[in-house]
Amino acid sequence: MPKVIVTAAITGAVNTPSMSPYLPITPQQIAEEVVRVYNAGAAIAHVHVRNPQTGQPATDPDLYREVATLVKQKCNIVLCFSTGASPQSSTAERASVVAALKPELASFNAGSMNFGIFPIAEGISSFKFEWEKEHLIGSENLIFPNSFKTLREYSQIFAESETKAELEVYDAGMINNIAFMLRRGYVRKPIHMQFVFGVLGGMQPSANNLVFQYNSAREALGDFTWSVCAAGRFQYPMCAMALAMGGNIRVGLEDNLYLTKGVLAKSSAEQVEKMIRIAKELSLEPATPDETRQILGLKGLDKVKW
Ligand code: KMH
Ligand code: ZN
């Protein structure tokens, strides 16, 4: 049967502790979640880290190392660290995890954009931690910076670390940025992209937009591997569309806190199980981590620094 790569985005940097008691915060909690999604059939865990006391998004490579070391004792899942981190972090801080730990795979955001998460604050009556309100409200005036200089600098860090880029694409113009990076040799084929839908400031989730992104990428880049993620309730339908189109999928509490309408997911693993049920109905099998390494051309777990 054809294989589908299922990624679980464990915690992210958008959602805050007041939104769900199930959001993993400490390295221990994050690592336990990674093992849960592995057991549910995910081949990649997309990992952000947080301040263990407050849950505030963090970039400290030592926190990532703690997660990775705990995970390695239990399973061989592919770890995809975030260099998006939180849009509030500096670009140098965001990339520090790649230079320090040299992971097999890491996110690489393919352009700058508005990144509005302030409307989420309207639905929250009380905050557990002081930082949460400003984190959300402040995003009204926030640009997620990924200038061409940053793209060039990140490319160099990724190349030196032999880390494959998972190129995050939120908008049609970012496909053009990737074409530019290919022409300049910043990135090399085969390239892997994550089409992201539903961020306020990026493309909104719809069948038309997914087909448009896919066709635009084919026209501009030729061959590539790809995956889809979408914010909130669009997570499942957009992933289902990706499955039908031969793409890979990402679920997880980073993108959506719910399992069904009004029911919080107790773990990203529940979302993985749900999408794998749907995939199997479509005669698709989840790829194992080692099959994923082969499909994406990753360097292997023996070449990481943890
Ligand atoms: N936060 C998501 C919308 C990253 O971590 O670099 C996309 C993402 C990017 O996961
Ligand atoms: Zn992320």
Side-chain angles (χ1 to χ4, degrees):
M1 287 217 276
K3 301 282 179 176
V4 56
I5 301 169
V6 180
T7 295
I10 302 294
T11 189
V14 168
N15 291 326
T16 69
S18 297
M19 297 175 196
S20 170
Y22 305 114
L23 201 63
I25 305 293
T26 66
Q28 180 82 35
Q29 289 169 347
I30 293 169
E32 283 167 7
E33 264 291 88
V34 172
V35 176
R36 266 183 226 115
V37 300
Y38 165 80
N39 287 329
I44 301 176
H46 171 71
V47 170
H48 293 238
V49 288
R50 294 174 180 265
N51 176 313
Q53 272 79 45
T54 65
Q56 195 162 11
T59 53
D60 183 354
D62 287 342
L63 291 170
Y64 279 106
R65 185 180 288 108
E66 215 177 318
V67 173
T69 307
L70 289 168
V71 169
K72 201 177 180 180
Q73 292 161 13
K74 303 276 185 193
C75 68
N76 70 343
I77 195 166
V78 175
L79 290 177
C80 171
F81 294 141
S82 174
T83 67
S86 169
Q88 282 97 342
S89 316
S90 76
T91 52
E93 280 167 350
R94 283 165 34 200
S96 62
V97 62
V98 174
L101 300 190
K102 310 200 184 313
E104 295 177 89
L105 186 65
S107 68
F108 186 141
N109 292 273
S112 303
M113 62 190 290
N114 288 346
F115 206 109
I117 53 176
F118 54 95
I120 309 175
E122 291 156 15
I124 303 175
S125 47
S126 75
F127 290 95
K128 251 190 201 159
F129 296 98
E130 205 139 299
W131 63 267
E132 295 180 59
K133 195 170 179 185
E134 179 49 32
H135 169 79
L136 299 170
I137 306 264
S139 71
E140 189 186 10
N141 193 32
L142 191 75
I143 291 167
F144 181 29
N146 298 288
S147 68
F148 283 108
K149 180 165 182 270
T150 299
L151 300 184
R152 176 169 55 73
E153 289 169 350
Y154 274 34
S155 300
Q156 195 164 356
I157 296 167
F158 274 64
E160 284 164 4
S161 307
E162 291 182 273
T163 297
K164 174 131 180 175
E166 178 189 272
L167 292 153
E168 313 292 324
V169 177
Y170 304 75
D171 214 337
M174 294 191 192
I175 292 169
N176 197 31
N177 296 353
I178 296 171
F180 172 79
M181 287 197 282
L182 271 170
R183 284 199 300 278
R184 289 288 168 108
Y186 293 3
V187 289
R188 289 209 172 82
K189 287 191 174 188
I191 61 162
H192 180 57
M193 281 181 289
Q194 179 83 252
F195 295 128
V196 183
F197 295 95
V199 173
L200 182 61
M203 280 177 112
Q204 292 309 293
S206 72
N208 263 341
N209 281 347
L210 174 53
V211 170
F212 177 75
Q213 287 294 75
Y214 175 85
N215 285 334
S216 303
R218 274 266 169 269
E219 217 172 270
L221 310 171
D223 283 341
F224 53 85
T225 52
W226 60 287
S227 175
V228 163
C229 70
R233 68 189 172 86
F234 293 98
Q235 178 175 74
Y236 304 116
M238 291 304 287
C239 283
M241 277 182 238
L243 291 179
M245 288 169 64
N248 302 292
I249 57 172
R250 161 171 140 173
V251 291
L253 301 188
E254 171 165 348
D255 304 330
N256 173 28
L257 292 169
Y258 290 85
L259 185 59
T260 55
K261 189 172 164 58
V263 180
L264 285 172
K266 292 194 170 65
S267 161
S268 293
E270 293 185 337
Q271 301 179 335
V272 170
E273 283 162 6
K274 178 169 170 164
M275 278 318 303
I276 288 182
R277 278 199 302 276
I278 295 169
K280 286 190 169 164
E281 289 295 337
L282 300 174
S283 299
L284 296 163
E285 272 296 320
T288 65
D290 280 340
E291 287 166 345
T292 298
R293 289 184 170 93
Q294 213 165 17
I295 296 166
L296 299 183
L298 305 183
K299 66 180 176 179
L301 199 45
D302 54 330
K303 296 202 175 66
V304 299
K305 289 273 177 278
W306 64 80

